Amino acid sequence: MLLNKKNTKGPKTNKKKQKSVEERREEIMNAINQVVENDDTTNPEALQHLLISTAFLENSLGANKNAYSRDYTNSQWSIDDNFLDDILTKSGFAVDESGQKTDQLRDNNYNKFLIRAGYDPGDSESMDQFVKDLENDNALTGAYMARLKYSLNPNAPLPELTKESVFKTWYGDYNAGGIEEGSEEYNKITNTFNEFYDEFFKKTVPSETEEDGPTGMAPKFMDKGTDIFSPGSLI
């Protein structure tokens, strides 16, 4: 049986309430830090860089309001329908050799990260709520599913702490071929991301995510100002 390190879901997102950029960004950063805090990785700094960068590439860290309430993908983290279908079909109870469902959950990353996000993969009502939370842009739900997606390629380690390595990991393991390499759009996104990465991660500061003192990671939330998140910087 898989254990949930912290069975805490984020607040339900109310689509009718228009949140500010700062509120959306803080919601995403808080979600990322909970995911990193609960993770098994031996390289939390790389995971944090990767998830923050993914959030920037998918929704400009909350600055792109058009990344919310979309009907062609699920959540501001761009969980596409194919990946969502994988989550729903590959989680839940294991089956025996005859194809009959057992009373044991599958021992896989789909279940592991659903449980950590606060859902019960063996309960249909809980999984219905999971789908609704994605549709409603629940930042924590989306962040855990982003972490799940990066965990599914066993031959892809977390990136080095360089913008080139982080972008390559996002492009190869998360973007799913949505942008053609070398295209004008690809080059534009690369240039925008490089500017963001250099600005956001240019300083190493003490961490607030660990009880045993500074680790050199970025803190739970750092307001880097608005320049990098200006409308001209949106992807």
Side-chain angles (χ1 to χ4, degrees):
M1 177 67 178
L2 295 168
L3 298 178
N4 179 13
K5 287 191 172 184
K6 182 180 287 187
N7 190 354
T8 305
K9 288 193 289 184
K12 299 294 187 300
T13 301
N14 184 352
K15 290 186 178 182
K16 295 181 181 179
K17 180 181 182 297
Q18 294 295 320
K19 294 184 178 181
S20 68
V21 171
E22 290 74 19
E23 287 175 319
R24 293 194 298 262
R25 191 191 313 164
E26 184 169 11
E27 191 174 68
I28 289 170
M29 291 297 293
N30 287 338
I32 289 172
N33 278 281
Q34 181 169 321
V35 171
V36 173
E37 184 179 3
N38 286 340
D39 207 82
D40 302 319
T41 181
T42 58
N43 193 352
E45 188 173 8
L47 177 58
Q48 187 191 52
H49 278 226
L50 180 60
L51 292 177
I52 291 172
S53 297
T54 300
F56 176 75
L57 287 160
E58 298 299 340
N59 57 66
S60 293
L61 264 180
N64 186 358
K65 65 180 181 180
N66 294 326
Y68 289 73
S69 302
R70 294 176 292 185
D71 58 7
Y72 61 89
T73 190
N74 303 280
S75 94
Q76 69 275 49
W77 289 87
S78 303
I79 306 301
D80 63 36
D81 287 342
N82 288 336
F83 182 40
L84 178 57
D85 185 62
D86 281 345
I87 295 170
L88 297 176
T89 57
K90 295 179 181 179
S91 62
F93 292 107
V95 296
D96 59 25
E97 294 180 354
S98 62
Q100 298 298 311
K101 185 182 295 185
T102 70
D103 59 358
Q104 296 294 317
L105 289 176
R106 293 184 172 110
D107 184 10
N108 62 23
N109 282 356
Y110 293 95
N111 281 334
K112 178 171 75 173
F113 287 108
L114 283 166
I115 292 171
R116 287 188 184 175
Y119 302 99
D120 180 355
D123 181 77
S124 60
E125 290 187 4
S126 181
M127 292 307 294
D128 286 344
Q129 186 62 53
F130 160 71
V131 173
K132 291 177 181 177
D133 287 345
L134 276 183
E135 292 174 349
N136 290 334
D137 300 315
N138 184 301
L140 185 60
T141 302
Y144 268 112
M145 294 309 100
R147 177 61 180 111
L148 167 62
K149 192 163 188 177
Y150 282 119
S151 77
L152 296 177
N153 184 352
N155 299 315
L158 289 172
E160 298 175 2
L161 296 179
T162 66
K163 58 192 175 189
E164 294 83 6
S165 182
V166 170
F167 186 86
K168 181 179 179 181
T169 300
W170 168 80
Y171 184 76
D173 293 333
Y174 201 93
N175 179 58
I179 306 167
E180 183 180 355
E181 186 171 1
S183 65
E184 182 178 352
E185 181 183 11
Y186 177 91
N187 293 334
K188 179 182 177 182
I189 290 176
T190 302
N191 292 335
T192 305
F193 173 73
N194 288 345
E195 180 186 354
F196 160 77
Y197 193 92
D198 288 341
E199 173 65 20
F200 197 92
F201 295 109
K202 68 181 179 182
K203 292 182 180 179
T204 301
V205 293
S207 171
E208 296 177 7
T209 62
E210 308 238 357
E211 295 180 356
D212 57 353
T215 64
M217 292 168 57
K220 283 191 174 182
F221 181 72
M222 181 189 300
D223 186 355
K224 287 286 187 176
T226 58
D227 290 347
I228 196 66
F229 302 102
S230 66
S233 298
L234 296 182
I235 293 175

